């Protein structure tokens, strides 16, 4: 198959442009900047879930060796962007991001209540253990099931009529009762944490009274810059945020979290640069999580397998002070053709910290339920689950009644099924045994909405003809720099080695944060147009040269074929062209620059835009011990043109790995008597290890979607995980006949 | 982490006298457990006695036994030819534990004395009788999915945690003794007497006296080779503690089980040797039916909490599976 983003059939992928730095330790992560005079802050966190602080005994900590300050709400420097404290003090109203060291209220267990700053990290940790906090405790509610009756329509949705989270219906809401075959089931996913291997960390430096630099692990330097400028009432440009290398994030770095503000406060208080690194246990209550979510699905079809009605209700947990909304039930409206669909989304506020987006937010949760339910209904229909999906294939968007900008899901199904050998699946569960193991096959579909935001990029060519491209985008792991390098190299007709891409600094041209699988669609487009602009400039200069008879050939170029191998070519067949370096030299230019912005246009209103995909999974289940091992995965995606196969493939593999974790292991367990998590290290919060990961085959349809952006590329990051948990659960059912509707699928549930 | 003093003795007796000097001092070997405990504020020894320079690494065969120095690394023991050929059950159990990196640091002595993985024990903000006697057992009325199902008779235990070691389950099944050096010289402890049940003093994991240093373990030769198996059931394929594990060893003669050993991990406060079942197996021809029958026996004496009832059936199934593999029947 022709690779779309390749110059020819033989074109190979780029390896990660920063791979060497990363594996050799040369890459500098947020906590690793050697800032002179650096001191260390450590957070003291609450061990009650609700109440207020009555006293903080910090003398022992203050006098411990090396300690510079103990900071709490009693003495924290004011954050000028926050409102003055009300008297008498009141709990924050819904919609207030948590303000660290602001008042005495406790909103969740693990909340920062004090912070010790000391000359070394060890001394700060030791002194933090010496701070004694006493509380007036109040009864907390953290148990989802026990409180689910108090779930309601989010205030946010009540206020906004056009919110996508409004109750939705098409057709007849009662139609489910008439369906010839129907199933009804409840699905639960527990709280799961991102837990990237690199913990969140920040170094905060006040360069002057009104100038702040932070080296901070986050997913958006520009949004962090804006939020910090607002909090500390500084001109935007006086705040610089640096985040060049990130050891994974999965959504945990989208917001500016309390620990970041705390470090900036500490630096202000002690007048020294301050480093703050979250402990692994603190990561469970500091940077969000995938919320505990309960879903109920009722779906029905005619005997011949045509969907007749779907009712999808979802309830997610949130904190008492903020509403975190997820797309949990939204996929059900668009995934399949079905005349009667209704969805309902509710929120349950609990005494916990606010959840946040985690890879495939809402969709990974919702598609676990929908794709399990589809499998259940297929089984009730005695129909092959893939055939059932094909029967209900949505040729146009059934929710918006718009054509898809492009959709090759059918090709994905076909490719995946072939490569996987789906035809060997038995409909009857537990019918294949191999070496004493129960063998099961499962599949699921995947979709994720297309997102594109305005982005800028700057391309600068230097005298030697090499190019630096810049944008304030991020790389939390997908290989952004590599993909952007490839786009630039392709547009400019340059060897990728001559292109350097810079990201992760707020002084670079504006770009959105890395989330919603929007980086390639948004920033990639900006890089594309900036490089196109640079190319036009080069060609124009080359034309001038040729007019003056200096180009060595006739350069008359009007179309995009004008550059190759670092040279501008004319139309003549034996034209040798003129090198970029010579063009700059002739025009006495040290550099040639182009900055462009790229924005989405009216296409959103004309088309419905999604990435699509599917996953095929084989599991082996030990009938005696209930242990599930995934032994084979085939994953296929339709995300438009693939920019760089090698890094794309890694993205897909990473998504499957995350999905296997979601399905089989990840579970943040809380002891509700205390409202406190008890799985706060990697020995108890299980994520997959290498031994859990089987060979994963990745395939792409690789057809450009001409409506979305100049490259024809859609997002891949989220779609890689969406649906995987459902495919695993379906395979477990096929292997054992047991339908596990509450994740994770651990041996105790199968035995 | 609290500030501490670091000491490095050159001889065993120097180490012991350093430890006797201060009852709160602790030996440190690989540090893979102790450092974590110190970081989380569970252990705060004012003195750390680094024993890594003592000559206790040797693995050798003497008369009728393998003798393994207390400082031999888990990975070295597992790969040692003597162990692989004479005590494959031990090698198997070691390789089922932790990860390659940790086994490269972990020592035999440290593995014997590693502390429980109960989440409440690891969090100083939560109650735990083992960490803070009298504070209550957090797991009893809390999250106890990984906790014990076998106890000392019908007594109410003050701690329901399990011993986390894989190596120890194999050692419990074999004829092992632990050699320790103390103020009064050397003594030998039968493996079954090293770890304690948790009825009254859950803070005490073992019967070691203050200052005693483990110098080696000795495992008697046996005729189990070819008929032993270590089976570990866990939440993921590697790098997870056992939900339940089984060390099964059989000595076969003329198609019958001549001698049988069965020890369980993840089910009790100490590695659980199942003497009653061993007796039931002796003299019988191996069969799935027999193994199922003896496993039923287990169900009678087990007692589960809110989240670990699955362990009763899982243990029975794991015993059947391990015994079948050991007996070579499918
Ligand atoms: C992430 C992780 C996963 C793990 N998974 C498993 C697993 O699956 N299965 C398993 O069995 N284990 C597992 N372990 C535990 C590991 O086996 C132990 O941490 C290791 O064996 C301890 O050995 P060490 O030499 O590092 O002990 P240290 O940490 O040095 O010491 C542990 C204790 O033993 C004492 N001690 C050490 N040597 C002696 C001696 N000679 N005499 C007297 N006292 C002594 C120390 O004072 C200390 O109290 C895991 C550990 C980690 C960190
Ligand atoms: S089971 Fe033991 S270790 Fe766990 S909380 Fe109870 S007393 Fe502590």
């Amino acid at each position: 198959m022709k690779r779309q983003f390749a110059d020819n059939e033989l074109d190979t992928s780029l390896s990660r442009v920063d791979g060497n730095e990363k594996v050799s330790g040369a890459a500098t992560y947020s906590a690793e900047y050697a800032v002179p005079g650096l001191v260390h802050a450590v957070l003291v966190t609450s061990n009650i879930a609700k109440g207020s602080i009555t006293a903080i005994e910090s003398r022992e900590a203050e006098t411990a060796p090396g300690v510079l300050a103990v900071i709490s709400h009693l003495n924290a420097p004011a954050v000028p962007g926050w409102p003055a404290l009300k008297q008498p003090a009141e709990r924050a109203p819904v919609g207030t991001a948590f303000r660290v060291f602001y008042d005495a209220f406790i909103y969740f267990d693990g909340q920062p209540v004090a912070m010790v700053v000391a000359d070394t990290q060890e001394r700060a940790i030791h002194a933090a253990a010496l701070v004694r906090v006493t509380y007036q405790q109040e009864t907390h509610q953290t148990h989802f099931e026990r409180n689910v009756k108090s779930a309601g329509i989010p205030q946010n949705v009540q206020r906004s009529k056009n919110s996508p989270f409004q109750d939705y219906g098409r057709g007849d809401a009662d139609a489910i009762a008439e369906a010839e075959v129907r199933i009804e089931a409840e699905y639960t996913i527990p709280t799961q944490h991102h837990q990237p291997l690199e913990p969140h960390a920040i170094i905060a430096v006040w360069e002057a009274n009104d100038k702040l630099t932070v080296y901070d692990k986050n997913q958006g330097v520009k949004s962090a810059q804006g939020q910090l400028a607002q909090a500390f009432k500084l001109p935007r440009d006086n705040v610089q945020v640096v985040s060049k290398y990130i050891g994974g994030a999965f959504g945990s770095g989208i917001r500016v979290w309390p620990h970041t503000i705390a470090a900036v406060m500490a630096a202000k208080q002690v007048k020294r640069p301050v480093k703050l690194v979250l402990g692994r246990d603190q990561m469970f209550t500091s940077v969000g999580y995938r919320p505990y979510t309960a879903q109920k699905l009722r779906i029905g079809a005619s005997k011949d397998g045509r969907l007749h009605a779907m009712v999808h209700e979802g309830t997610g947990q949130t904190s008492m002070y903020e509403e975190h909304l997820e797309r949990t039930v939204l996929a059900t409206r668009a995934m399949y053709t079905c005349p009667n669909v209704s969805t309902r989304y509710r929120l349950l506020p609990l005494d916990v910290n606010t959840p946040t987006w985690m890879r495939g937010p809402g969709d990974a949760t919702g598609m676990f339920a929908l794709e399990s339910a589809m499998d259940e209904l297929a089984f009730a229909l005695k129909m092959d689950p893939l055939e059932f999906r094909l029967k209900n294939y949505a040729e146009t968007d059934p929710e918006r009644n718009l054509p898809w900008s492009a959709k090759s899901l059918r090709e994905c199904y076909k490719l995946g099924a072939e490569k996987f050998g789906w035809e060997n699946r038995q409909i009857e569960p537990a019918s294949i045994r191999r070496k004493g193991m129960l063998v099961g096959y499962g599949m699921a579909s995947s979709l994720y909405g297309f997102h594109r935001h305005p982005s800028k990029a700057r391309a600068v060519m230097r005298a030697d003809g090499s190019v630096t491209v810049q944008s304030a985008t991020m790389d939390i792991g997908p290989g952004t720099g590599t993909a952007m390098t490839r786009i630039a190299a392709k547009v400019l007709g340059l060897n990728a080695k001559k292109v350097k891409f810079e990201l992760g600094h707020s002084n670079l041209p504006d770009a959105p944060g890395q989330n919603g699988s929007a980086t390639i669609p948004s920033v990639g487009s900006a890089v594309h147009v900036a490089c196109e602009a640079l190319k036009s400039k080069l060609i124009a200069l080359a034309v001038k040269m040729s007019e003056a008879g200096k180009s060595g050939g006739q350069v008359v170029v009007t179309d995009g074929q004008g550059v190759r191998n670092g040279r501008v070519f004319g139309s003549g067949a034996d034209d040798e062209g003129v090198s970029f370096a010579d063009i700059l030299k002739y025009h006495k230019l040290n550099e040639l620059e182009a900055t462009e912005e790229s924005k989405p246009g009216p296409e959103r209103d004309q088309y419905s835009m999604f990435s699509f995909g599917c996953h095929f999974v084989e599991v082996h289940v030990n009938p005696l011990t209930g242990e599930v091992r995934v032994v084979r995965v085939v994953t296929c995606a339709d995300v438009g043109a693939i920019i760089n196969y090698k890094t794309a493939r890694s993205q897909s593999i990473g998504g499957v790995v995350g999905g296997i974790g979601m399905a089989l292991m990840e579970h943040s367990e809380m002891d509700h008597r205390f409202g406190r998590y008890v799985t706060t290290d990697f020995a108890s919060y299980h994520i997959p290890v290498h031994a859990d990961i089987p060979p994963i085959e990745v395939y792409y349809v690789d057809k450009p979607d001409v409506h979305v952006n100049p490259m024809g590329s859609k997002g891949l990051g989220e779609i890689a995980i969406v649906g995987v948990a459902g495919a695993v659960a379906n395979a477990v059912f096929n292997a054992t006949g047991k339908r596990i509707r509450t994740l994770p699928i651990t041996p105790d549930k199968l035995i | 982490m609290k500030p501490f003093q670091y000491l490095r003795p050159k001889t065993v007796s120097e180490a012991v006298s350093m430890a006797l000097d201060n009852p709160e001092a602790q030996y440190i070997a690989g540090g893979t457990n102790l450092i974590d405990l110190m970081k989380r504020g569970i252990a705060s020894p004012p003195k750390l006695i680094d024993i890594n320079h003592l000559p206790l690494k040797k693995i050798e065969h003497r008369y009728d036994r393998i003798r393994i120095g207390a400082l031999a690394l888990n990975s070295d023991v597992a790969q040692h030819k003597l162990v692989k050929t004479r005590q494959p059950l031990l090698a198997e159990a070691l390789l089922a534990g932790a990860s390659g990196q940790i086994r490269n640091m972990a020592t035999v002595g440290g593995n014997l004395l590693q502390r429980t993985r109960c989440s409440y024990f690891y969090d100083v903000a939560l109650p735990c009788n083992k960490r803070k006697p009298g504070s209550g057992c957090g797991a009893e009325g809390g999250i106890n999915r990984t906790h014990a199902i076998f106890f000392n008779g019908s007594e109410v235990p003050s701690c329901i945690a399990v011993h986390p070691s894989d190596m120890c389950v194999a050692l419990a099944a074999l004829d092992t003794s632990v050699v320790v050096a103390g103020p009064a010289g050397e003594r030998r402890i039968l493996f079954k007497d090293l770890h304690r049940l948790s009825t009254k003093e859950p803070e005490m994991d073992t019967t070691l006296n203050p200052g005693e240093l483990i110098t080696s373990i000795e495992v008697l030769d046996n005729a189990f080779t070819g008929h032993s198996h270590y089976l570990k059931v866990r939440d993921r394929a590697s790098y997870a503690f056992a939900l339940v594990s089984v060390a099964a060893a059989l000595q076969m003669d003329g198609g019958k089980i001549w001698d049988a050993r069965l020890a369980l991990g993840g089910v009790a406060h100490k590695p659980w040797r199942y003497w009653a079942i061993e007796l039931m197996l002796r003299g019988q021809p191996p069969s799935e039916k027999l193994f199922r029958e003896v496993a039923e026996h287990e169900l009678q004496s087990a007692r589960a909490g809110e989240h670990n009832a699955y362990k009763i059936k899982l243990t029975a199934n794991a015993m059947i599976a391990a015994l079948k593999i050991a007996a070579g029947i499918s």
Side-chain angles (χ1 to χ4, degrees), chain A residues 117 178 181 220 292 325 361 397 409 466 486 496 582 598 620:
Chain A
V117 189
E178 315 147 4
V181 183
Y292 191 110
L325 303 164
D397 180 349
L409 179 57
S466 68
R486 194 163 175 85
D582 286 346
S598 161
H620 288 182

Side-chain angles (χ1 to χ4, degrees), chain B residues 116-122 126-132 135-140 147 158-162 198 202 269:
Chain B
T116 184
R117 289 284 161 170
C118 171
S119 296
Y120 296 84
F121 177 71
Y122 264 82
L126 293 173
C128 169
N129 282 332
K130 186 182 275 302
R131 177 171 33 74
K132 197 171 170 197
S135 63
C137 169
E140 177 74 50
H147 288 71
S158 50
C159 169
I160 58 169
V162 299
S198 64
H269 195 256

Side-chain angles (χ1 to χ4, degrees), chain B residues 26-27 29-34 98 107 111 113-114 166 214 232 241:
Chain B
Q26 281 210 42
Y27 298 121
T32 59
N33 189 209
L34 186 55
T107 65
N111 195 321
L113 300 190
Q114 64 172 299
D166 290 300
I214 299 174
K232 179 174 178 178
F241 290 92

Side-chain angles (χ1 to χ4, degrees), chain A residues 682-683, chain B residues 25-37 51-52 56 70-71 73-74 93-94 96-99 102-103 105-115 117 164-168 208 212-215 232 234 239-242:
Chain A
F682 276 141
Chain B
Q26 281 210 42
Y27 298 121
I28 183 163
T32 59
N33 189 209
L34 186 55
I35 298 282
D36 276 355
L37 295 170
I51 57 174
N52 284 293
L56 301 173
L71 287 171
L73 299 178
N74 285 187
L94 276 163
S99 66
I102 289 180
R103 294 195 296 270
M105 287 297 289
T107 65
V108 165
N111 195 321
L112 291 170
L113 300 190
Q114 64 172 299
R115 309 217 62 191
R117 289 284 161 170
S165 168
D166 290 300
M167 178 188 84
C168 288
L208 290 183
E212 278 184 327
L213 176 80
I214 299 174
T215 53
K232 179 174 178 178
R234 45 190 147 178
Y239 206 30
F241 290 92

Side-chain angles (χ1 to χ4, degrees), chain B residues 3-64:
Chain B
F4 56 85
Q5 200 190 348
Y6 173 83
L7 303 167
R8 192 191 275 184
K10 287 193 189 64
T11 63
V12 166
S13 58
E14 193 188 350
V16 172
S17 58
M18 280 174 174
L20 285 169
D21 256 10
N22 187 331
E24 284 175 82
Q26 281 210 42
Y27 298 121
I28 183 163
T32 59
N33 189 209
L34 186 55
I35 298 282
D36 276 355
L37 295 170
M38 289 170 71
K39 284 204 285 199
R40 297 203 68 168
I42 298 141
S44 41
K47 279 188 186 180
L48 266 191
I49 305 168
D50 182 351
I51 57 174
N52 284 293
H53 298 267
L54 304 181
L56 301 173
K57 275 203 156 144
K58 229 194 211 158
I59 304 170
E60 58 190 343
H61 192 259
R62 287 241 207 116
Y63 312 111
D64 57 349

Side-chain angles (χ1 to χ4, degrees), chain B residues 67-178:
Chain B
R67 186 184 180 122
I68 304 171
L71 287 171
L73 299 178
N74 285 187
S75 45
D76 288 345
V77 179
Q79 300 300 344
H80 201 281
K81 211 172 149 210
L82 275 174
V83 179
K84 273 163 69 173
T85 51
R86 288 172 186 264
Q87 305 291 355
L89 183 65
L90 174 59
E92 235 183 316
L94 276 163
L95 290 177
S99 66
Q101 294 91 329
I102 289 180
R103 294 195 296 270
N104 282 341
M105 287 297 289
T107 65
V108 165
N111 195 321
L112 291 170
L113 300 190
Q114 64 172 299
R115 309 217 62 191
T116 184
R117 289 284 161 170
C118 171
S119 296
Y120 296 84
F121 177 71
Y122 264 82
D123 184 347
V124 292
L126 293 173
C128 169
N129 282 332
K130 186 182 275 302
R131 177 171 33 74
K132 197 171 170 197
S135 63
C137 169
E140 177 74 50
I143 310 286
N144 45 39
R145 177 174 170 268
T146 58
H147 288 71
I149 53 168
F150 291 123
F151 305 94
N152 194 11
S154 58
E155 279 185 81
V156 179
S158 50
C159 169
I160 58 169
V162 299
H163 194 268
S165 168
D166 290 300
M167 178 188 84
C168 288
V169 181
L171 292 180
L174 302 167
D175 296 301
T176 309
S177 39
V178 179

Side-chain angles (χ1 to χ4, degrees), chain A residues 611-651:
Chain A
S611 292
F612 293 95
C614 56
H615 316 283
F616 294 83
V617 170
E618 178 180 341
V619 298
H620 288 182
V621 182
N622 185 321
L624 282 173
T625 65
E627 288 166 296
V628 179
R629 301 288 179 249
V630 177
V631 299
R632 203 157 61 87
V633 179
V634 170
T635 183
C636 296
D638 160 29
V639 294
I642 299 296
I643 302 290
N644 193 53
Y645 263 73
K646 193 169 184 179
T647 42
R649 191 174 160 272
S650 297
Q651 268 289 76

